[in-house]
Amino acid sequence: MSGRRPVELAVEAVRYSVEGHTLLHGVDLAARPGETVGVVGPNGSGKTTLLRCVYGALRPTAGRVLLDGADAAGLGAKDRARRVAVVPQDAAGTFGLTVREVVAMGRSPHKRFWEQDGPDDVRRVAEALETVGAGDFADRPYDGLSGGERQRALVARALVQDPGLLALDEPTNHLDIRYQLEVLGLVRALPATALLVLHDLNLAASYCDRLYVLSGGRVAASGTPAQVLTEELLAEVYGVRTRVTTHPATAAPNIVYLPPGGHRAEGGGPGRAG
Ligand code: ADP
């Protein structure tokens, strides 16, 4: 992918309230150009809401989202789409379109609205389909695909958009382990800045430069994976017991989850179930 210049992202004191509920209570987040930043946290902690504020699907009730220092609220939809690509959990409005047509939509911010796909667009779409392993089902209707196939199509759509910032909401949740690793490896290798919501903390530790942990609509911790993913923090935020070690192959933190309630004796001694 040719790629735009990576965007510097700053989220400043973003608050988001709806129908009397405050879902984000003044969140600060920064991503340097080219950084891969993960957003993790329990269900309902505000991760998707934060991502939607960043890519402009929601307007913060207070605070600002800055792209290269400019307030994103001042950008028109097309200007924003030239800089920010989104891999949502699923795509709406694709009725009857083939995978190739859905992916080609990623080129539209770079064209005038009446402009047909040129040879360059056609080539870029074909390349992106191959990159995500979607070549075999490129001409099938998007609506008929499995969750994992759709997810790969949406990644391809984001790739052809040449974004400076890529926002991904659980991009691996439908993928088998091979495609999880491929998609995260691809995101890391892009020149774009990436902001990803991830559930798998071990994948987040391996693929993200820095992490933000959300809890109850607030940032509970931020820093490198090793700084953030501690047994204490995981107990506090997720209410789970863990052993965190440094993975010998990746040097990233490696989390092993222990059964709740302390039934299992540590080290596998007496009291171990079964
Ligand atoms: P996450 O992505 O971390 O699971 P979300 O950002 O999707 O969390 O949601 C944060 C919280 O806000 C959840 O508890 C969710 O139920 C709630 N929420 C989302 N939309 C609304 C809404 N329109 N009105 C009230 N609560 C909402």
Side-chain angles (χ1 to χ4, degrees):
M1 102 158 225
S2 51
R4 281 178 66 90
R5 203 167 47 79
V7 159
E8 178 174 13
L9 169 68
V11 172
E12 293 183 349
V14 161
R15 183 180 172 84
Y16 183 76
S17 305
V18 64
E19 295 161 12
H21 299 276
T22 298
L23 314 186
L24 297 174
H25 298 263
V27 169
D28 292 303
L29 176 152
R32 291 187 293 276
E35 232 186 341
T36 300
V37 172
V39 179
V40 300
N43 292 139
S45 58
K47 302 180 298 295
T48 295
T49 306
L50 175 61
L51 206 71
R52 296 183 80 202
C53 286
V54 166
Y55 65 74
L58 295 176
R59 200 176 179 123
T61 310
R64 302 189 301 173
V65 173
L66 304 175
L67 303 176
D68 290 330
D71 194 332
L75 290 177
K78 191 159 179 170
D79 267 349
R80 188 192 299 268
R82 285 203 191 107
R83 295 179 197 213
V84 183
V86 183
V87 178
Q89 293 200 16
D90 203 354
T94 56
F95 313 103
L97 294 181
T98 66
V99 175
R100 190 184 303 279
E101 287 164 338
V102 168
V103 173
M105 284 161 57
R107 294 301 301 154
S108 56
H110 301 289
K111 296 189 296 188
R112 296 187 180 86
F113 78 93
W114 65 84
E115 207 176 321
Q116 298 289 313
D117 287 347
D120 196 43
D121 298 311
V122 171
R123 178 183 57 78
R124 291 289 312 281
V125 168
E127 282 173 4
L129 285 163
E130 289 305 321
T131 301
V132 301
D136 289 348
F137 52 85
D139 297 304
R140 279 171 42 199
Y142 174 88
D143 295 337
L145 300 182
S146 74
E149 289 165 342
R150 286 181 188 216
Q151 217 150 21
R152 279 144 56 197
L154 296 178
V155 170
R157 184 181 70 175
L159 294 181
V160 302
Q161 210 172 320
D162 283 343
L165 171 66
L166 189 52
L168 306 103
D169 196 351
E170 295 181 36
T172 56
N173 65 342
H174 293 295
L175 300 180
D176 64 41
I177 188 65
R178 177 186 148 200
Y179 281 116
Q180 290 184 27
L181 301 179
E182 282 195 13
V183 163
L184 292 177
L186 195 62
V187 168
R188 245 199 102 75
L190 291 178
T193 310
L195 186 67
L196 309 93
V197 171
L198 286 172
H199 271 304
D200 186 319
L201 298 177
N202 283 316
L203 286 179
S206 303
Y207 284 90
C208 296
D209 298 311
R210 284 188 309 116
L211 299 177
Y212 285 78
V213 183
L214 288 193
S215 177
R218 293 184 165 84
V219 176
S222 65
T224 63
Q227 288 168 334
V228 163
L229 298 176
T230 62
E231 292 168 9
E232 296 73 25
L233 189 277
L234 297 173
E236 183 189 315
V237 169
Y238 288 92
V240 295
R241 298 170 62 236
T242 56
R243 278 292 161 271
V244 181
T245 55
T246 301
H247 197 288
T250 63
N254 186 51
I255 301 162
V256 175
Y257 299 96
L258 303 178
H263 297 310
R264 183 187 147 167
E266 265 129 54
R272 185 176 183 171

